[in-house]
Amino acid sequence: MSKLLFPDANFDKCALCAGSSVLQTSHIIPSFVFRWFKDSSATGHLRFGETPNLRVQDGFKCRMLCTYCEQLLSSWEKKFSEICFKQIVEGRATRIRYSFWMLKFAASVSWRVLRIFYAAGQISDYPPSLLSSIDDALSVWSNYMLGKRPHPGRYEQHMFLVDTVDSSSIDGIPPNINRYFTRTVQCDVVRNEDSAITYAKMGRFVLFGFISVPSPHNWKGTKLNANHGTFGIRDIELPRNILDYMLENAKSAGTSYSRISKAQQEKIRKSYEANPGRVAESESIRAMDHDVRLFGNKAFEFTQPSTRANTTDNDEGNAR
Ligand SMILES: [Zn+2]
């Protein structure tokens, strides 16, 4: 599993249409996701799980698309943000109807994740068979976005919603599961011997793009359709290794967060004190409440710096 925040990726022409006009700065995970996170947080600031000592503005960006392609992707983002994302996170709907823009949006996010990992050399150690599938997936997703094919074929897009949980029969569920499910943004490319997928977690919206998936029938209730469908809270089935992967990510996020420095904890404490009303109403606190309900003190201990002496305050070092 590879992780990145600031990959060393450079493009000299549009990564989607190969046009050579001036490149725009594009978000890998769309900016509306980060805006919502900031608005619904206890402090009004964001921190990436991997670098908890760094307050981030609005996620990772890269110059990779021409104006035409940037606008094309923005048009699907706008539809997804307004008709799906906001309706659900603001509690105005539990299920929405979608048309063509849903799969276009999903493919564009999976494509961006894979393209940036590829350009940053993060998947160069993959076996030849998977590299060939990656080339094919990138090409199919590009052609689909550019209107040259009607759907992405076997390079399917699967999306589902996660929410807070108050009870669980799953073994080994970490004490920050609700904070991970509802309050993290993450992108990744994941593989084992014969399969590979992209992962884009946008808060409660979890998106997987299939690159090589030998048993797609093990996924139930998650596949997005090309023309129309419904999306929302529903019963789904996922392969066990996908659930394990998400639980592992939650554990890593907890461990990373426990490395937060004393200086940064102090900043957070001051933000809390400055605006207790905002804190009480925030989604961050709602997620924490659910973890406490499920795990008691362990919910705090799991993400607390327990070995402060070994922790360095790398705020300055991380300030990019
Ligand atoms: Zn372009």
Side-chain angles (χ1 to χ4, degrees), residues 148-250:
K148 294 178 184 169
R149 51 177 298 149
H151 56 74
R154 69 170 182 277
Y155 303 105
E156 300 172 358
Q157 302 295 317
H158 288 248
M159 187 155 67
F160 54 90
L161 274 177
V162 287
D163 200 359
T164 49
V165 288
D166 282 323
S167 65
S168 175
S169 52
I170 302 167
D171 284 343
I173 193 167
N176 65 330
I177 193 67
N178 287 301
R179 279 165 286 172
Y180 179 73
F181 272 177
T182 63
R183 300 300 301 168
T184 56
V185 176
Q186 190 180 5
C187 56
D188 200 2
V189 180
V190 201
R191 68 143 174 139
N192 57 24
E193 303 76 48
D194 62 350
S195 61
I197 46 174
T198 58
Y199 178 60
K201 187 172 174 304
M202 301 170 276
R204 291 176 54 202
F205 295 75
V206 182
L207 169 66
F208 286 96
F210 283 16
I211 301 165
S212 172
V213 177
S215 306
H217 52 269
N218 290 339
W219 299 65
K220 292 199 171 69
T222 55
K223 187 181 169 185
L224 298 178
N225 299 324
N227 297 318
H228 51 81
T230 60
F231 177 82
I233 296 167
R234 60 158 56 113
D235 288 338
I236 60 164
E237 279 180 40
L238 298 173
R240 177 68 212 204
N241 60 357
I242 292 294
L243 182 62
D244 287 343
Y245 164 71
M246 292 185 68
L247 295 179
E248 253 337 288
N249 281 339

Side-chain angles (χ1 to χ4, degrees), residues 14 17 66 69:
C14 175
C17 75
C66 71
C69 290

Side-chain angles (χ1 to χ4, degrees), residues 4-5 25-35 37 46 48 58-62 64 70 73 77 80 85 105-106 108-114 116-117 184-188 198-203 205-207:
L4 88 172
L5 282 173
T25 304
S26 307
H27 286 84
I28 304 305
I29 299 290
S31 56
F32 70 82
V33 175
F34 293 96
R35 268 201 303 279
F37 263 84
L46 288 173
F48 280 129
D58 58 355
F60 175 67
K61 290 177 277 193
C62 181
M64 69 187 296
E70 177 64 24
L73 269 56
E77 275 178 32
F80 177 80
F85 188 86
F105 167 76
S108 82
V109 174
S110 297
W111 173 81
R112 273 176 270 188
V113 171
L114 186 56
I116 204 85
F117 270 72
T184 56
V185 176
Q186 190 180 5
C187 56
D188 200 2
T198 58
Y199 178 60
K201 187 172 174 304
M202 301 170 276
F205 295 75
V206 182
L207 169 66

Side-chain angles (χ1 to χ4, degrees), residues 13-21 23 64-70 146:
K13 54 187 181 180
C14 175
L16 180 52
C17 75
S20 53
S21 65
L23 298 184
M64 69 187 296
L65 294 174
C66 71
T67 311
Y68 170 81
C69 290
E70 177 64 24
L146 293 169

